[in-house]
Amino acid sequence: MSKSLARVKRALAEAGLDVQVVEMAAETRTAQQAADAAGCALDQIAKSIIFRGEATGHVRLFLTAGGNRVSADKASALAGEPLGRADADLVRRETGFAIGGVAPIGLLTQVPTFLDPRLMDFAEIWAAAGTPRHIFPIAPGDLARITGPVPADFID
């Protein structure tokens, strides 16, 4: 088992959640691939969008519904600094995950996190579990409880 996947499973267990991480036959790198694999609506996918803070050089995590697009201007206003593209090395160094499998939990460092309220409209959502083929179902309230995000409007 990969270290990334193990961290996600450990984070779920430490949160007291009995959640089964599922390995899919096909890749789940994109929200559409994950929705197709899980058999759910696109907006039931909790996308982990990572930006780089231009002033601090550290990442910010925006958890958004799969069909939504993050507004760079709104996200920057929330983060309190201009945001730019986070490269693969920075994402891996600060989250412990590779792009395409960034989980919202089990991160290596504490990352400021923001939550798209659209995710709260569902009884169950799906998120990446640290690899391009692993995802897990979770109640959005449980995800919010264990990630401690700031709910906010940051959608285009």
Side-chain angles (χ1 to χ4, degrees):
M1 175 183 324
S2 78
K3 292 179 195 175
S4 297
L5 179 58
R7 275 198 327 276
V8 170
K9 287 183 172 186
R10 187 171 48 252
L12 289 166
E14 288 172 357
L17 297 173
D18 184 21
V19 173
Q20 296 301 312
V21 173
V22 181
E23 182 175 7
M24 297 299 178
E27 285 191 346
T28 57
R29 288 180 184 272
T30 70
Q32 189 62 62
Q33 288 173 332
D36 291 346
C40 69
L42 181 60
D43 276 357
Q44 284 180 269
I45 300 301
K47 291 192 299 192
S48 296
I49 306 297
I50 302 283
F51 286 100
R52 178 187 183 274
E54 296 298 330
T56 62
H58 295 291
V59 299
R60 306 291 180 260
L61 172 59
F62 291 81
L63 298 175
T64 187
N68 286 344
R69 185 173 170 91
V70 176
S71 161
D73 291 338
K74 290 179 181 180
S76 293
L78 285 170
E81 66 178 313
L83 298 176
R85 185 178 172 275
D87 66 32
D89 289 338
L90 179 63
V91 172
R92 167 97 54 192
R93 188 169 57 250
E94 293 203 8
T95 70
F97 300 116
I99 293 173
V102 176
I105 60 173
L107 287 78
L108 291 180
T109 62
Q110 184 129 1
V111 173
T113 303
F114 302 89
L115 178 74
D116 176 359
R118 172 72 173 126
L119 291 169
M120 302 306 284
D121 291 345
F122 302 99
E124 179 180 80
I125 58 177
W126 290 77
T131 82
R133 290 187 185 274
H134 290 85
I135 57 177
F136 64 93
I138 190 168
D142 286 337
L143 182 63
R145 176 178 59 83
I146 63 177
T147 59
V150 174
D153 173 19
F154 50 82
I155 301 306
D156 265 340

